[in-house]
Amino acid sequence: MTKDDMMFRQIVKTTLGGLLLLSSSVYGAVAYLSIEKDGLVGKFHSHDSTEQRIGVLVLGGSEGGLPEKLAQPIIDAGHPTLALAYFKSTGLPQELEKIPLEYFTTAKSWLQSQRNVVPDKLIVVGWSKGAEAALLLATRDPQISKVVAIAPSSVVWAGILKDWQKVPASSWTERGKALPHVPFKPSGPVNGLRDLYTQSLSNRTDANQADIPVTLIHAQVTLMSGEKDTIWPAPQMAETICNKMNAKRAGRCEHLYYEGLDHLLNYQFIEKDTDMNQLFISKLSGDF
């Protein structure tokens, strides 16, 4: 190796080391959680401050695995953030069916026990199936102070299996029992997923037992939905949620509706420094 090669390598090493230190300074420490060690699969970003802040639990949707894309703008804003996998990861169910709600309670307890994290409050952010889970958790836990749900559901749905020929059970369980759910039950030809979910809502026979009991939620709730959602009728379900919540306590729920945007709002709300991104982050701040 020539002297010039050695010098080049030292420059690269020094530069990368500086970048790593900078990253640590901005975002704080990063911890990876495993089933074997923690009973969870997640990625935790602490904040680099001695001030206690409310932790944010981030839940992805039917893509499974760690919801890092959704978590990143929250991390960038300086919040202590746990991106949690709840299926499709090592040691977890590989399909979205019969996921125990107690798993999320374990995640909450872990997050609130971390240094510089407020121990008696929690913010939950989720999209799609993660939004469904976030709202469910908030009906059961008064320590959840805020929920931001993108493409939410007003009901518990059947799970999602790789083999669409199989009939899935409920997406969630509690104390070992499957939660009442709306099964996939079209009454005629189906033109895409949204049509399947819409028809299934119209053909319910569960006597509303699968409704998420949103009037029990103590949290401030922000719902975000897009006009061009082709997955499920999130705008209509968001209106149902807010109507119920606000009828009990005015101003507890708001619905941000975006014309021309899809299920996950064309990811515009996670694009850094955009107006939509700043609005999204603002919903995680302040006291209610």
Side-chain angles (χ1 to χ4, degrees), residues 11-28:
I11 290 171
V12 170
K13 182 178 180 180
T14 302
T15 302
L16 288 175
L19 289 173
L20 289 172
L21 288 173
L22 177 62
S23 175
S24 177
S25 175
V26 172
Y27 297 122

Side-chain angles (χ1 to χ4, degrees), residues 54-57 79 121-125 144-148 284:
I54 301 174
V56 183
L57 179 64
H79 295 276
K121 291 184 179 180
L122 182 71
I123 300 168
V124 185
V125 178
I144 295 177
S145 54
K146 296 176 192 173
V147 172
V148 179
L284 307 179

